């Protein structure tokens, strides 16, 4: 009986705390006002659209990019850029959309876009490496861009949220970036929420909403509770275990949509043990993918055989692998390891792994725990460390072996983004430290190739080579989960790219 009262008390307390932390400010709750509160799974301390990897400024409708991704057919299409062309893949002419203004009323012209892109490349090495721009010239609404090398897929890189166009003369990038989107920043509380107001001068028609709140909570269960308690209208990635309950609530809709994301086990190739391919194969063999999909994701995922979902033309048919405990043991024996008194060791040194994970994606810590348990049965000591900002931590620290990490692998409908970012020596997401001359040459060949059929063939080659070398292990492709109040929210679209959330079309009844 006491236990029951205690659980009830904890639930009521959770709802109270959520109401205090996630509800809209009192002055924004006037009866009849058209507003929504979207609760996101990653907290951010900065809104800087050119640097921050949570992409809140784009997702919240503050900023926009030159090029847009069509989520339906995975093609790129004009957005702030009206058109682009190149005869040789190196000299590009971009015509900007006319009549677009920033949220301070200033025109978005060639000079402003040039300054924005140059600022992005100056402050973000990842963007500098991705765009490969040698020079930019601006004349009225025309940009002349020269890339360092022929780069036929250059326009697709302009989809990236970190290439968002902002007015760089408004220098408070962290707290109040000034973009061209349908919503302007009203106030920002780092780690809690950004409050937004409609920008009436928006070039594509003023938003139907008067205001919005884009709030953060990294606790998946708390996000589910927020929807139940009414403090959130749209919840991104609610707790999987609560989905069945949420679906029974009147006026609530749950959407589970396939996406371009992969959950992977990133391997630090600078660590001595993981430089042995047999150890990497053992790690890969230990991952029980189907069990993880069935138990942790409750079926809202697809088992991954590589980085790209099977529906993509550049996802190859991989050779069958040996998996399971005995296969892992055999691989370790090939690497010179043996079990002594229940401890896997080599030359008297026990095999241990430091495994990083983070709670913003609730399934990743659970995957880490399953791997820890399975590895323990082979006498491998796995120490799990929770981190908050995976990209920053992995880039700044090399004292880890493995990381349960989630990444968008084809957000532009092309393999180039992921392969460049993850396996090229200059890649922004090359946390494994991959530096393989053969692999780099294949990626460079891909970058210089025009035409999806030819590009897909090379991308398949690369994916097969990465699989052969076991540079990372791919676990599953999770669905994007969103729950929202369908009796209130109109025109919500669950984006497969996860880029576009608060739009000018979003509305309430």
């Amino acid at each position: 009986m006491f236990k029951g009262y205690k659980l009830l008390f904890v639930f009521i307390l959770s709802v109270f705390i959520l109401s205090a932390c996630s509800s809209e400010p009192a002055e924004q709750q006037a009866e009849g006002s058209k507003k929504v509160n979207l609760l996101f799974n990653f907290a951010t301390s900065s809104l800087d659209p050119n640097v921050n990897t949570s992409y809140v400024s784009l997702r919240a409708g503050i900023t926009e990019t030159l090029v847009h991704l069509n989520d339906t057919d995975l093609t790129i299409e004009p957005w702030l850029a009206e058109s682009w062309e190149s005869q040789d893949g190196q000299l590009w002419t971009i015509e900007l959309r006319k009549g677009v203004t920033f949220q301070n009323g200033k025109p978005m012209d060639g000079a402003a876009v040039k300054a924005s892109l140059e600022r992005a490349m100056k402050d973000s090495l990842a963007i500098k490496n991705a765009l490969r721009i040698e020079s930019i010239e601006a004349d009225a609404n025309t940009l002349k861009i020269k890339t360092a090398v022929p780069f036929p897929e250059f326009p697709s890189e302009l989809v990236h949220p970190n290439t968002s166009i902002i007015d760089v003369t408004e220098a408070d990038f962290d707290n109040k970036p000034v973009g061209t989107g349908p919503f302007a920043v009203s106030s920002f509380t780092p780690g809690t929420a950004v409050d937004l107001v409609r920008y009436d001068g928006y070039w594509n028609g003023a938003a139907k909403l008067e205001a919005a709140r884009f709030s953060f909570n990294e606790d998946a269960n708390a996000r589910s509770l927020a929807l139940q308690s009414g403090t959130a209208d749209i919840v991104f990635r609610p707790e999987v275990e609560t989905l069945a309950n949420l679906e029974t609530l009147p006026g609530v809709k749950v959407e589970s949509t396939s996406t371009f994301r992969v959950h992977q086990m990133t391997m630090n190739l600078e660590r001595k043990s993981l430089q042995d391919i047999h150890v990497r194969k053992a790690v890969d063999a230990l991952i029980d993918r189907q069990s993880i999909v069935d138990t942790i994701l409750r079926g809202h995922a697809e088992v991954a055989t590589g980085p790209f979902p099977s529906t993509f033309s550049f996802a190859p048919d991989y050779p069958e692998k040996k998996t399971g405990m005995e296969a892992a043991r055999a691989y370790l024996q090939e690497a010179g390891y043996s079990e002594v008194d229940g401890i896997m060791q080599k030359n008297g040194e026990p095999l241990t792994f430091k495994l990083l994970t983070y709670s913003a994606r609730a399934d990743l810590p659970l995957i880490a725990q399953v791997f820890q348990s399975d590895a323990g049965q082979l006498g491998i000591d796995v120490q799990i460390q929770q981190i908050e900002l995976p990209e920053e931590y992995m880039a700044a620290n090399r004292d880890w072996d493995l990381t349960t990490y989630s990444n968008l692998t084809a957000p532009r409908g092309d393999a180039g983004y992921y392969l460049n970012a993850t396996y090229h020596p200059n890649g922004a997401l090359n946390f494994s430290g991959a530096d393989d001359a053969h692999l780099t040459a294949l990626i460079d060949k891909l970058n210089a190739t025009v035409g999806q059929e030819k590009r897909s063939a090379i991308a398949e080659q690369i994916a097969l080579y990465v699989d052969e070398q076991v540079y990372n292990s791919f676990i599953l492709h999770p669905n994007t989960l969103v729950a929202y109040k369908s009796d209130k929210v109109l025109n919500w679209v669950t984006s497969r790219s996860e880029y576009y959330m608060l739009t000018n079309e979003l509305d309430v009844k």
Side-chain angles (χ1 to χ4, degrees):
M1 177 67 74
F2 174 75
K3 184 178 180 182
Y5 281 124
K6 185 177 179 181
L7 288 172
L8 179 61
F9 172 75
V10 169
F11 175 81
I12 293 171
L13 181 62
S14 298
V15 172
F16 174 77
I17 292 172
L18 283 163
S19 299
C21 296
S22 300
S23 60
E24 296 175 359
E27 66 270 20
Q28 294 192 6
Q29 297 185 33
E31 188 175 350
S33 60
K34 300 182 73 172
K35 297 163 183 159
V36 297
N37 179 17
L38 185 150
L39 187 54
F40 194 56
N41 61 318
F42 268 105
T44 183
S45 59
S46 168
L47 296 178
D48 189 332
N50 300 141
V51 176
N52 190 266
T53 55
S54 63
Y55 308 153
V56 168
S57 288
L58 185 82
R59 288 167 166 157
I62 302 164
T63 63
E64 298 170 310
T65 52
L66 294 176
V67 180
H68 187 273
L69 178 69
N70 185 311
D71 259 7
T72 303
D73 59 15
L74 305 184
T75 58
I76 58 173
E77 57 192 15
W79 207 8
L80 293 180
E82 203 168 56
S83 65
W84 49 86
E85 63 176 0
S86 175
Q87 300 301 314
D88 59 4
Q90 187 169 12
L91 296 171
W92 293 87
T93 300
I94 297 178
E95 295 295 337
L96 301 176
R97 192 177 296 279
K98 297 177 179 64
V100 178
T101 58
F102 292 105
Q103 289 138 3
N104 56 13
K106 295 180 182 177
M108 184 214 72
D109 55 17
V113 173
K114 176 178 184 288
S116 181
L117 291 175
E118 288 176 340
R119 186 263 164 174
M121 291 187 291
K122 174 178 174 289
D123 285 23
S124 171
L125 180 61
I127 290 302
K128 180 181 178 181
N129 290 337
L131 297 183
R132 307 177 192 190
I133 291 176
E134 185 176 290
S135 63
I136 307 176
E137 295 178 10
D139 180 18
N141 283 299
T142 302
L143 291 178
K144 299 281 188 181
I145 294 179
K146 181 181 181 182
T147 55
V149 293
F151 190 12
E153 294 301 313
F154 170 70
S156 71
E157 292 297 334
L158 298 174
V159 170
H160 197 294
N162 287 149
T163 67
S164 286
I165 304 304
I166 55 173
D167 181 359
V168 298
T169 66
E170 300 277 3
D172 192 3
F173 306 123
D174 285 330
N175 298 298
K176 200 168 186 177
V178 176
T180 60
F183 297 102
V185 178
S186 171
S187 64
F188 173 53
T189 305
T192 301
V194 54
D195 288 301
L196 307 152
V197 294
R198 177 170 60 201
Y199 173 47
D200 290 330
Y202 180 54
W203 64 270
N204 201 26
K208 292 178 168 59
L209 296 173
E210 297 170 33
R213 170 168 260 221
F214 198 102
S215 50
F216 323 116
N217 195 317
E218 296 190 349
D219 185 324
N221 189 55
R223 293 196 296 275
S224 295
L225 284 172
L227 190 69
Q228 294 178 54
S229 67
T231 57
D233 303 306
I234 305 166
V235 172
F236 196 78
R237 298 204 67 82
E239 173 62 57
V240 174
E241 293 181 355
T242 67
L243 294 182
N245 183 47
L246 291 177
E247 287 174 332
T248 66
L249 297 178
V252 169
K253 184 174 182 180
V254 176
E255 293 185 350
S256 179
T257 306
S258 63
T259 183
F260 321 131
R261 182 172 292 282
V262 70
H263 284 3
Q264 67 184 46
M265 186 74 80
T266 297
M267 302 190 193
N268 183 353
L269 302 177
E270 295 175 14
R271 302 290 271 185
K272 185 178 178 180
S273 63
L274 290 169
Q275 289 173 358
D276 189 321
I277 189 172
H278 297 104
V279 176
R280 301 199 297 272
K281 285 183 176 181
V283 168
D284 186 73
L286 274 172
I287 300 170
D288 190 343
R289 293 161 174 81
Q290 190 62 59
S291 176
I292 290 170
V293 167
D294 293 341
T295 60
I296 296 177
L297 275 294
R298 303 294 177 95
H300 293 279
E302 172 194 341
V303 166
T305 51
F308 309 115
S310 58
T311 52
F312 282 106
S313 61
F314 40 81
D317 292 325
Y318 294 95
E320 193 170 341
K321 296 179 184 177
K322 296 176 183 177
T323 61
M325 201 72 63
E326 292 311 310
R329 179 178 280 110
Y331 284 131
L332 290 173
Q333 287 172 351
E334 288 188 68
Y337 287 87
S338 58
E339 231 175 313
V340 180
D341 297 328
I343 298 174
M344 188 64 69
Q345 54 185 274
K346 179 180 180 180
N347 300 327
E349 296 254 344
L351 180 59
T352 63
F353 292 130
K354 181 177 179 179
L355 173 58
L356 307 178
T357 192
Y358 51 102
S359 61
R361 296 194 178 277
D363 29 338
L364 294 183
L366 298 177
I367 293 171
Q369 290 167 23
V370 169
F371 180 82
Q372 180 188 51
S373 174
D374 291 344
Q377 294 181 50
L378 278 182
I380 303 170
D381 180 31
V382 176
Q383 297 295 320
I384 297 175
Q385 179 180 333
Q386 288 270 354
I387 56 176
E388 289 187 9
L389 303 170
E391 291 84 7
E392 291 183 19
Y393 189 95
M394 287 190 285
N397 302 278
R398 306 307 291 168
D399 62 344
W400 53 276
D401 300 285
L402 306 167
T403 305
T404 55
Y405 183 60
S406 189
N407 194 12
L408 285 169
T409 58
R412 271 84 97 194
D414 184 86
Y417 161 76
Y418 174 81
L419 297 177
N420 273 280
T422 309
Y423 299 109
H424 199 284
N426 296 325
L429 304 177
N430 187 358
F431 305 122
S432 62
D435 191 356
D436 180 321
H438 177 67
L439 181 55
T440 302
L442 284 173
I443 296 171
D444 288 339
K445 182 181 177 182
L446 175 68
N447 293 337
T449 300
V450 182
Q452 192 57 56
E453 191 173 333
K454 291 180 181 178
R455 289 179 61 79
S456 292
I458 299 171
E460 281 192 50
Q461 264 186 282
I462 298 171
L464 286 168
Y465 183 76
V466 167
D467 178 70
E468 176 189 302
Q469 298 299 317
V470 201
Y471 281 149
N472 287 310
S473 283
F474 306 99
I475 305 169
L476 57 86
H477 301 291
N479 287 4
T480 292
L481 301 173
V482 177
Y484 63 97
K485 296 177 182 176
S486 57
D487 60 350
K488 173 183 177 181
V489 177
L490 298 173
N491 305 331
W492 167 261
V493 176
T494 300
S495 164
R496 294 176 66 196
S497 66
E498 302 178 10
Y499 285 168
Y500 315 116
M501 296 184 182
L502 297 186
T503 69
N504 64 323
E505 293 299 318
L506 192 62
D507 202 355
V508 292
K509 294 180 181 178

